[in-house]
Every structure is written in C-alpha cells, then in structure tokens.
C-alpha cells in the first residue's frame, strides 16, 4: 500500500492541502477543531512524516525566494518590481538572509520553481506576488509545507499577507476626475486573472454607478507600451470616446500617451490621463502625468519582515497598507466650465 500523501488526507478530511500541512506541522492558520480532525484522519490512514524531509528541514537555507511570472521586458520596464526587490533585499540583509530571484514566463513555471527550490532546500520561504483567483500556487505551497507571504490579498489559510487599499485608491482617482468635469472614464486594466485588477475594476464600476458617471474597461494583454497603445487606440476609435483614461501602470500609460499624441488629442483639457503607478518618466513627459504615488520598497520590506517573523516565531500577521497619495499634474487638469 502506498504511503498516503497530504493531498489524500485533505480529500478525506474535507480541507485544503495547505490546512493539512499546517495541522500536521503544528503551524498556525487552522482552528483546533480542524487540527484535531486532520490528525485523526492522518492516524487512521497510517500517515507518518517523511524522515528524510524532517531531517533536511531542521537546517535552514538562509535564503528567501521571489518568483515573478511575467515577461522579462515587462519586469524590466516597471518601477514597482525594482523598488519592491530593493526593499526586500534591504530587510533580509539585516538578518543575514539572501534573496533568490527567478523571472519566468508562466504560472506553471513559477510552481515548478517552488517545487525545485524546496526539494533542493534552497530557500526557507517565499514571497508570492500578484494573487490570482483560485490561485494554484497557494495549494502547491501548502502541499509542500513551504512558508510564504502573500502580497496583495489576505491569505485564506492564515499565512502572513500584505494588503493594499485598491478600493480607496480607485475612489480617490475617480473623485479627482469628476472634479475636473469628466463624465466618461475608461480604465486600461492589466492582465486577466490577477485579483487586484478585478478588485480595481469592481471598485471603479461601483463608484461610477454611485456618482452617475460612465465607466469603460479595456483589458490589456500584458504590461507593455504596445498593449497600452493598442488599448488606447481602441478607446479613441470607439463611438463613445472617453474624456479620461486611467492606466494600470506607468508602462501602459506611456504607450497610451504616444497614441494620444499621434492622434493629436488635447491631453489634459481634452482627455485626462492618470497612471496608477508613478515614475520619474511620468514627471518629465509633456504634459507631466498625474499618478498614484506609493512606495513599493516599503511593501517589499514589509513582506520580507513578515516572512522573517514567521520563520523565527511561527506567528502570522496581515498588514493593511494606507491608501496611497494622488499626485495631480498637467495630464488631468481640464478646463471646467
């Protein structure tokens, strides 16, 4: 008879593989009743911990992993990830920990990287970015028993998390545009499946209904200038041209501005432009671009600190960040009659 796995126990106990991992390893994140049920099922099924894995886990790798599942050119162009990584590195270095970074193209490759790292004991834990709906990565991490911090959403299994105020941010941007006289507002969103994109879209749509303004949403296939330009061309070529466009990040915004200038659109007075990420590039463009300003470095630092704490003390915490600020520049100042 084959040795039962964590997934086998989870199916019988009616819980997730991550919950089984937490229960059998004495980690926080499950209730005592769930822990008792899982242990009872495991005993009934004759489960015993893998001795080799236990022996290996007694030693630390002294490193934390970060896998970014995006095309390399998109990662290189985004200010967010550069500053996020610098923030992580600074926090980890203070505790003598190294950062292991891998950039891959797909979620499947990201999962394969986690499996490889854990099998080789290259990392003690990982920071997970861009949460997805029904995220397959979290189930695998729970099955492996690989500690992690989730950036962007609270973790349902009780692992540490860093959560931003996307709803407050979208409401702030919308109210600014309404004050400028905008009534038909478009949002160029990022890739499908990422939860913060859906949350931002839902928040903007809800605020638009509340304020009686029209909301249009176009989803870019990726975070590239080309995608930003294509989405903008689609918007300004439609029958109902928006008088304001919100871009999910500065790379999409730069691509959109290029198309607007080619079309000779009157940026600012004619069509307001806002980016949900700021950068030095947006400050030197003509016109300079209104943007949400936040500190990705602080987010990376916080994620690394939460993971360090979890690894040393087995305590989990969810940190909710304050609503970022809106820096108003010429691209969203309209002539309001």
């Amino acid at each position: 008879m084959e040795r039962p796995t964590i997934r086998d126990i989870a199916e019988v106990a009616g819980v997730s593989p991550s919950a089984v991992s937490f229960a059998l390893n004495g980690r926080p994140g499950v209730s005592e009743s769930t822990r008792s049920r899982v242990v009872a099922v495991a005993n009934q099924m004759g489960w015993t911990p893998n001795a080799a894995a236990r022996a290996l886990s007694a030693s630390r790798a002294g490193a934390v992993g970060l896998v970014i599942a995006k095309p390399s050119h998109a990662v290189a162009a985004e200010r967010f990830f550069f500053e996020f990584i610098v923030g992580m590195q600074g926090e980890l270095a203070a505790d003598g920990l190294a950062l292991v970074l891998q950039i891959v193209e797909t979620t499947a490759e990201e999962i394969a990287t986690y499996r490889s790292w854990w099998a080789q004991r290259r990392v003690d834990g990982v920071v997970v970015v861009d949460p997805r709906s029904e995220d397959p990565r979290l189930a695998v991490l729970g099955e492996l028993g690989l500690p992690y911090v989730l950036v962007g959403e609270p973790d349902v299994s009780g692992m540490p998390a860093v959560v931003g105020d996307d709803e407050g941010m979208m409401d702030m941007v919308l109210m600014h545009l309404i004050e400028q006289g905008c009534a038909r507002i478009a949002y160029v969103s990022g890739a499908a499946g990422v939860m913060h994109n859906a949350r931002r879209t839902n928040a903007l749509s809800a605020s638009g209904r509340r304020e009686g303004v029209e909301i249009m949403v176009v989803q870019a296939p990726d975070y590239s200038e080309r995608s930003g330009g294509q989405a903008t061309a689609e918007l300004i070529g439609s029958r109902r041209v928006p008088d304001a466009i919100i871009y999910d990040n500065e790379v999409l915004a730069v691509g959109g501005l290029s198309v607007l200038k080619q079309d000779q659109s009157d940026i600012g007075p004619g069509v307001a432009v806002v980016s949900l990420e700021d950068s030095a590039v947006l400050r030197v463009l003509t016109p300079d671009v209104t943007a949400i300003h936040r500190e990705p470095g602080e987010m990376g630092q916080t994620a690394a600190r939460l993971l360090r704490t979890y690894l040393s003390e087995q305590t989990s915490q969810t940190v909710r960040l304050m609503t970022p600020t809106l820096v108003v520049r010429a691209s969203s100042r309209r002539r309001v009659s």
Side-chain angles (χ1 to χ4, degrees), residues 38-289:
V38 168
V39 170
V41 170
N43 289 335
Q44 290 169 6
M45 297 181 69
W47 181 87
T48 56
N50 185 299
R54 289 287 191 186
L56 285 171
S57 65
S59 60
R60 288 286 182 89
V64 164
L66 173 65
V67 184
I68 302 174
K70 286 187 177 184
S72 298
H73 66 84
V75 177
E78 285 189 58
R79 160 186 171 266
F80 176 89
F81 280 111
F82 173 77
E83 295 193 13
F84 185 87
I85 291 167
V86 170
M88 277 190 65
Q89 176 64 47
E91 180 69 20
L92 294 172
D95 202 38
L97 294 171
L99 173 62
V100 181
L101 173 66
Q102 185 76 37
I103 298 174
V104 298
E105 295 282 333
T106 66
T107 300
E109 290 176 292
E110 181 177 351
I111 290 173
T113 301
Y114 293 144
R115 291 187 182 280
S116 174
W117 280 353
W118 194 236
Q120 299 173 36
R121 290 303 186 266
R122 291 189 60 194
V123 298
D124 298 313
V126 294
V127 171
V128 182
V129 297
D130 291 338
R132 295 147 171 77
S133 176
E134 299 181 2
D135 202 324
R137 302 172 301 172
L138 305 187
V140 171
L141 292 171
E143 177 185 345
L144 295 173
L146 175 54
Y148 64 89
V149 168
L150 186 62
V151 178
E153 289 285 328
D155 184 67
V156 295
S157 63
M159 292 299 286
V162 183
V163 182
D165 183 12
D166 287 298
E167 291 81 3
M169 178 179 70
M170 298 306 287
D171 192 61
M172 177 170 55
V173 171
L174 180 68
M175 295 311 297
H176 164 68
L177 292 173
I178 290 174
E179 288 170 2
Q180 299 302 307
C182 301
R184 185 178 300 132
I185 299 168
Y187 172 39
V188 178
S189 174
V194 179
M195 292 184 71
H196 80 255
N197 290 331
R199 196 166 58 248
R200 290 175 182 182
T201 297
N202 292 338
L204 183 64
S205 298
S207 295
R209 288 192 297 270
R210 182 193 70 213
E211 299 297 331
V213 298
E214 182 179 350
I215 301 297
M216 309 163 66
V217 178
V218 175
Q219 194 164 68
D222 58 37
Y223 287 101
S224 66
E225 288 186 38
R226 181 178 181 181
S227 290
Q230 289 175 336
T232 303
E234 178 181 338
L235 287 167
I236 63 178
S238 65
R239 294 177 61 183
R240 297 181 65 78
V241 179
D243 53 18
I245 305 177
I246 303 168
Y247 294 93
D248 207 53
N249 73 358
E250 77 278 21
V251 181
L252 293 172
V254 169
L257 284 166
S258 177
V259 169
L260 290 172
K261 288 183 177 181
Q262 290 174 12
D263 190 62
Q264 298 185 338
S265 299
D266 190 9
I267 301 170
V271 54
V273 171
V274 177
S275 169
L276 298 184
E277 293 287 350
D278 200 4
S279 74
V281 171
L282 299 187
R283 295 194 289 272
V284 300
L285 288 174
T286 303
D288 52 351
V289 180

Side-chain angles (χ1 to χ4, degrees), residues 91 149 160-162 301-311 315-319:
E91 180 69 20
V149 168
V162 183
Q301 188 177 29
T302 301
R305 174 174 54 80
L306 292 179
L307 185 54
R308 284 200 306 117
T309 301
Y310 183 83
L311 292 173
T315 57
S316 179
Q317 181 183 4
T318 295
V319 173

